[in-house]
Amino acid sequence: MSAKLINHVQSTIAPNDHPYMNAAWTPNYDEYDAGDMQVIGEIPKDIDGVYVRNTENPIHEAIGRYHPFEGDGMIHTMSFADGKAEYRNRFVRTKAFVAEQEVGHSLWAGLMERPDKSLRQGWGAHGSLKDASSTDVIVHAGQILSTFYQCGDGYRLDPYTLEQYGAESWVPLDGISAHPKLDESTGELLFFNYSKNAPYMHYGVVGADNKLKHFIPIDLPGPRLPHDMAFTRNYSILNDLPVFWDPELLKQNIHATRFYPDIPSRFGIIPRFGGSDSIKWFEADPTYVLHFLNAWEDGDEVVLDGYFQEHPVPAKYAGASPEFERMMAFLDQHKLKPRLHRWRFNMKTGQTREQSLDDPLLEFGTINQRFGGVRNRYCYSAIPAEGWFLFTGLAKHDLEQDRSWSVPFGAHRFGSEPAFAPRAGAQSEDDGYLVSFITDMNENRSECILLDASDIEAGPVCQIILPHRISSGTHATWAHGEDIRAARNHNLNHNQARN
Ligand SMILES: [Fe+2]
C-alpha cells in the first residue's frame, strides 16, 4: 500500500499570519492511509504496536481570536509490526466537528473571546468552548480514547484503522478531563473531571472491560484548573493548585487565569477505589504542574515526579502582536519555566518533602509505561523551543544515578511528545525505542523517528517519511500490539458469550 488519500476536509480559513496556523503549525486537511513509505535506516523487527498522536488542527475561521488549544482534533498514527510501518491520520468526528460541517463555519468562540460570542452552548468546565477532543490520547480496552483538556466527551477510534466509534458512553455528563491514566498492569483507566459547580471535581475508574467501576465527588474550595493526575499501584493522586480563574471575574463570566502564590499547592491521595472521605490532602510549594511523569510507593511515602513551573502565569510575550502576547507567553515553556521535580508525601505523618531534580527547562515527558505506578528509573522529556510551543529535542534522565543525556532533532526540525515502545523481549526498563513525529521545515516534510532509548545520543534508528508535512501537535502515546490484541479477543469472547 502506497499513500492513499482517503478524504479531504474543506477548510474555511483564509490565509493569515496567525503564529499558530503557519509554518510548523500549518493545519492539514487531507486524511491518508500509507504503507511502503520511504525509510532512512531500517525499521526494526522487534517493535510491535502503535504510536498515536493528537493534534490541534483548526478547520474553520475562528469566531474572534484563535487559540491553538481549540483546534479540531486530528489523530496521526504509525503502526509497527514485522519490520513494517503504516501511517494514518483522521479528524476526530466529534459532535462539534459534525455540527460545524453541517453549517460550514465555526459555532463556538474560543478561549480568548467572551463566552457569549459562542453561537451554541459549549462543553466542559468553561461551558462555552467547543469540545475539540484535540488535547490528549490514550489507548484503553483496545481502542483509542481522545480527550479535551477543558473536559468533554471521550472519543473512541480503532488504533490500527482509525475507524471511528463516537463518544464513549460511560463518560459523565460534565465530561472527562484530558489525561486519564492507564494502569497497564490491570488494564484500568483512572480519570477525573472538573467544573465551575460544587464539588468542582469528580474521580472515577473504568475497568479493563470498559465498564465504569467507580465514580465519586472530590470536594475542592472552588473552581480549579487541574490538567493532569498520577497513580501508584494503590493510590490515585489528584491536585488543587493555586492557578485558577479569578473568582470575582468569574461572577461576570470572565475566565481570567491567575496565580495565587500565597496559596499552597495541594495534592490529594486517594485509594484507587476509595470513597470521597478517604482522600488525604498534602500541602506543597505553590506552583502549577501541567504534566506528571509517574508516581510510586516507597515505604510510608508516595513519590510523585512531574514538572514544577516557576512562573505559572508568565509576563506578556514582548514582541508578539498585542492580540497574541498573552497567548504566546502561555505557550512558551521558557516563560513558564517547568523543571523536573519530585514530591514525597508521607502517608503516616502528612508531611511533604520536595526537591528540584534538574535545572534544564523540560516538559511533555514520558516513561516506559510498563512501569506506570511503580518505581521507574528513567524518564524522557521534550526540550521546548524558546518562544514557541515546539520541541527541539529529547532528554533522558536516569533518576537513580542522577545522569542525563539529550539529542537535538536538528535545526528547523520539531518533534512531538515522545512515547516509549518496549522492544520485543525487552530485558531492562530502557530496552526499547522512543517514537516521535518530526515536522521538518528544511525539507518541507514530516517523518516518524525511532531512537534507541538506551542510547538516544546515537540519533535515529530510522526515519519514516510521511506522505505529507504534518502540523506540530500535542500529546502522544504508545499502545502495545499484544495489549490491543488481548483486549480485542476479550471483547470478542465477551460478545460471543452474550450472543
Ligand atoms: Fe496535557
Side-chain angles (χ1 to χ4, degrees), residues 206-247:
V206 179
D209 59 0
N210 201 27
K211 300 247 179 344
L212 185 67
K213 309 288 184 187
H214 191 57
F215 187 63
I216 57 162
I218 302 290
D219 278 309
L220 297 181
R224 294 294 184 265
L225 294 168
H227 183 75
D228 198 2
M229 63 174 288
F231 69 96
T232 69
R233 277 284 158 82
N234 294 297
Y235 299 105
S236 291
I237 306 175
L238 305 166
N239 61 79
D240 166 11
L241 304 174
V243 174
F244 46 86
W245 288 318
D246 183 319

Side-chain angles (χ1 to χ4, degrees), residues 7 33 35 44 86 89 107 112 127 129-130 134 166 175 234 290 335 341 347 357 360 375 386 441 461 476 482-483:
N7 189 36
D33 285 359
E86 292 184 2
N89 72 301
L107 290 168
M112 295 191 289
L129 297 179
K130 171 168 71 176
S134 56
N234 294 297
L290 198 58
K335 289 239 182 288
H341 198 83
M347 299 295 285
L357 296 180
R375 184 175 188 153
E386 187 161 4
M441 299 308 292
V461 172
E482 60 184 317
D483 289 2

Side-chain angles (χ1 to χ4, degrees), residues 480-495:
H480 312 281
E482 60 184 317
D483 289 2
I484 298 170
R485 289 188 292 275
R488 286 176 166 181
N489 286 337
H490 174 87
N491 292 341
L492 196 64
N493 294 337
H494 183 74
N495 290 339

Side-chain angles (χ1 to χ4, degrees), residues 293-324:
L293 277 159
N294 196 24
W296 39 279
E297 295 158 39
D298 184 20
D300 293 338
E301 291 183 315
V302 168
V303 182
L304 173 65
D305 290 347
Y307 301 96
F308 181 106
Q309 291 183 354
E310 185 182 333
H311 294 302
V313 173
K316 287 177 182 173
Y317 189 100
S321 76
E323 60 178 343
F324 293 130

Side-chain angles (χ1 to χ4, degrees), residues 179 227 291 475:
H179 299 299
H227 183 75
H291 299 116
H475 288 292

Side-chain angles (χ1 to χ4, degrees), residues 306-311 333-342 355-363 379 381-384 395-397 399 402-405:
Y307 301 96
F308 181 106
Q309 291 183 354
E310 185 182 333
H311 294 302
Q333 300 294 336
H334 284 251
K335 289 239 182 288
L336 300 166
K337 297 197 183 301
R339 292 184 173 90
L340 263 178
H341 198 83
R342 175 165 287 176
Q355 66 179 121
S356 181
L357 296 180
D358 203 3
D359 286 336
L361 303 178
L362 299 169
E363 244 289 358
C379 68
S381 308
I383 300 172
K396 172 184 178 178
H397 279 78
L399 300 168
D402 198 19
R403 299 176 65 200
S404 66
W405 303 264

Side-chain angles (χ1 to χ4, degrees), residues 63-110:
I63 298 173
R65 288 167 295 174
Y66 170 71
H67 188 291
F69 290 174
E70 301 145 13
D72 301 275
M74 176 179 273
I75 306 287
H76 299 266
T77 61
M78 187 68 80
S79 60
F80 296 88
D82 305 321
K84 295 197 170 86
E86 292 184 2
Y87 164 80
R88 287 177 175 78
N89 72 301
R90 298 288 189 279
F91 279 104
V92 185
R93 265 57 178 183
T94 61
K95 293 167 187 170
F97 173 96
V98 172
E100 291 187 336
Q101 285 293 300
E102 282 172 2
V103 299
H105 59 82
S106 284
L107 290 168
W108 291 273

